[in-house]
Amino acid sequence: MMKLILFVVGIIASIIGALTGVGGGIVLKTFYDLVNAGGVLAIGFYSTVLVFTMCIVSVLKQIKSGFNFDWPFLISISIGSIFGGCIGNSLLNYAAKYIPENTTKLIQSVILLITLIFLTIFTNKSSKNKKEANFNWFAAFWVGLFLGAISIFLAIGGGPLNVSLLVIMFHFTMKQSSIYSIATVFFSQITKIISIIATGQFMKFDPIMIPLLMLAGIIGGYIGTVWNQKISSAKLEQLYTYFMIALVLITGFNVYRFM
């Protein structure tokens, strides 16, 4: 019964992730922390499997529908994400090895809560300043480095942070941000996938959850991308704001619980 619930949550997380550009990992991690679905490394792994699968489906569908990426910008922020992912993965493994699990989850939740509050406020302010999108590939690399590191360490896929920083720093519309965010998340998760396979960590986790979450990522990624292509950027901005507020409340509760 619990696996069915986790599968359904995976689909919902993927729909939200592909629709708003948040990746879905943050939804999965927040809920799995709430129900104690596994340890720090297990939840991080499940999140990576779901997000990686969802991103493949979403990016391919966006390209097929005719969305034109600015490839130098995307490649630059993605390379930064890959290097950042290595840093974040090393920090997460260090924390899992030397810091008590509950303390690690508390640290993750506190960092996430502060980040979410900050980004929610500034994203709303920045989205009202209608400026032309700035595809600065040099700045994109450093933003990608930061996003890759923090997203892997927090095991959230990075989507909410990506969307907000793309709006704040590069003046993207919400729809542009959501699509570029998914593409960036895809590259940042590659590091985690390679690390897990190379070290054999996947052998330690529930083997049934892997195909279940991959299926959830495919279903949710397809549905979320279809909806993303149909709604306006203004409507997407509203949905994103509601989603961020909900995450702030849930993450705040997790902070209280882990304390």
Side-chain angles (χ1 to χ4, degrees), residues 10-144:
I11 293 176
I12 295 170
S14 296
I15 291 173
I16 294 172
L19 172 62
T20 62
V22 300
I26 190 168
V27 181
L28 199 74
K29 174 180 166 46
T30 305
F31 181 81
Y32 280 18
D33 276 345
L34 209 57
V35 299
N36 288 318
V40 171
L41 292 180
I43 291 175
F45 173 65
Y46 296 151
S47 172
T48 298
V49 169
L50 178 80
V51 170
F52 188 73
T53 308
M54 182 276 295
C55 284
I56 292 174
V57 175
S58 183
V59 169
L60 288 177
K61 184 154 182 58
Q62 291 287 7
I63 292 174
K64 189 177 178 181
S65 70
F67 183 84
N68 293 316
F69 287 100
D70 183 291
W71 289 104
F73 179 89
L74 180 59
I75 290 169
S76 181
I77 197 171
S78 298
I79 290 173
S81 294
I82 291 171
F83 282 110
C86 292
I87 296 170
N89 192 46
S90 297
L91 289 173
L92 183 60
N93 286 330
Y94 178 87
K97 188 175 181 179
Y98 295 107
I99 302 174
E101 191 165 283
N102 234 44
T103 304
T104 301
K105 288 186 176 181
L106 175 61
I107 292 169
Q108 287 177 320
S109 296
V110 169
I111 294 173
L112 182 57
L113 179 62
I114 294 170
T115 305
L116 286 173
I117 292 172
F118 173 82
L119 290 178
T120 301
I121 294 170
F122 278 88
T123 303
N124 285 331
K125 286 183 178 179
S126 297
S127 64
K128 292 177 174 60
N129 297 324
K130 304 300 179 184
K131 296 181 180 178
E132 188 176 346
N134 172 24
F135 294 94
N136 185 324
W137 64 267
F138 181 75
F141 172 82
W142 296 105
V143 170

